[in-house]
Amino acid sequence: MADLSAFPIARRWPASHPDRIQLYSFPTPNGVKISIALEELGLPYEPHAVDIGKNESWTPEFLSLNPNGKIPATIDPDGPGGKPIGLFESGAILLYLSDKTGQLVPADATLRYETIQWVFFQMASIGPMFGQVGFFHKFAGREIADKRPLERYRDESRRLIGVLETRLKGRSWIMGDDYTIADISMLGWVRNLIGFYEARELVGFDDFPSVGAWLERGLARPAVQRGLTIPARS
């Protein structure tokens, strides 16, 4: 049986199955990337709900694994060389899981790096911008009288959706015929933008039919449907 005693996080969220990948997360766009990937790959894992509404990601135990204080984080008891490895940042975890299994990333080196660049595009652009739209459109930021911040993030988000639209014209997935971690990295964010953030009309989402069709294809995948609600909210 795997020994996770070196990880303080495992004391606050104890493992019932320590030989499985431990997922510490919450069903947000960043969190569900990893549950979706794990469901797609069929890897055994054990999810632990880290309730961000209760600031649990800022507890010492969580910070011991993810010093950035954001979900998700993982421990793989069977890491490189058979030793446990703890990881944070969703993009890094996606790359790790794809490397571990040889799936969800093309085998060709050039295409692999092209896939990675789209994961980085999500992490550096889509995620931060859509998150700001959510804050200024749906949450506390909407109370700010000066609407210039909202307009700035709205316009930049629309530009980024346009980048995706150009990429997806004539393609089923970001990398063409192959569904990859690039798609997984973005599906939750685009879904949240027009759903939970209620910004469909704000960003003119219906002007981007290729993105809309891609989102529908992605959400129709059974593993995506399962992953969107893992870990379950209490």
Side-chain angles (χ1 to χ4, degrees), residues 30-217:
N30 277 336
V32 300
K33 293 180 209 172
I34 308 308
S35 55
I36 290 170
L38 289 164
E39 288 290 324
E40 293 280 7
L41 293 166
L43 289 169
Y45 72 102
E46 181 177 1
H48 304 275
V50 179
D51 193 333
I52 59 175
K54 299 177 181 177
N55 291 322
E56 289 184 343
S57 65
W58 298 107
T59 58
E61 294 88 352
F62 187 83
L63 291 170
S64 69
L65 182 56
N66 184 352
N68 193 31
K70 305 290 185 181
I71 52 100
T74 60
I75 299 172
D76 183 359
D78 183 28
K83 298 179 180 179
I85 181 173
L87 291 171
F88 69 95
E89 295 298 342
S90 58
I93 299 170
L94 285 176
L95 287 170
Y96 172 76
L97 294 174
S98 66
D99 284 346
K100 179 182 177 73
T101 60
Q103 299 180 58
L104 295 178
V105 168
D108 177 81
T110 298
L111 295 178
R112 180 177 185 273
Y113 283 112
E114 190 176 336
T115 304
I116 292 171
Q117 80 176 348
W118 286 102
V119 174
F120 286 5
F121 169 75
Q122 182 276 304
M123 295 176 67
S125 299
I126 290 262
M129 288 299 130
F130 287 12
Q132 291 298 327
V133 166
F135 175 76
F136 284 102
H137 182 61
K138 182 180 175 71
F139 298 113
R142 67 183 175 182
E143 299 173 5
I144 298 173
D146 186 346
K147 297 306 177 185
R148 284 175 296 180
L150 172 61
E151 292 167 359
R152 191 261 184 187
Y153 291 117
R154 175 203 64 197
D155 293 347
E156 180 64 2
S157 293
R158 183 175 168 83
R159 184 189 72 80
L160 294 172
I161 301 170
V163 172
L164 276 183
E165 178 72 14
T166 299
R167 176 67 178 182
L168 285 165
K169 281 183 179 178
R171 296 171 180 262
S172 295
W173 306 108
I174 298 293
M175 292 303 296
D177 293 333
D178 294 328
Y179 172 83
T180 68
I181 58 173
D183 301 289
I184 293 173
S185 74
M186 295 188 226
L187 282 169
W189 276 110
V190 178
R191 172 179 176 263
N192 252 42
L193 179 71
I194 64 173
F196 184 67
Y197 293 158
E198 302 172 348
R200 186 184 197 109
E201 184 175 350
L202 178 72
V203 300
F205 186 77
D206 292 334
D207 294 338
F208 305 98
S210 297
V211 177
W214 162 84
L215 179 63
E216 289 183 8
R217 281 191 293 275

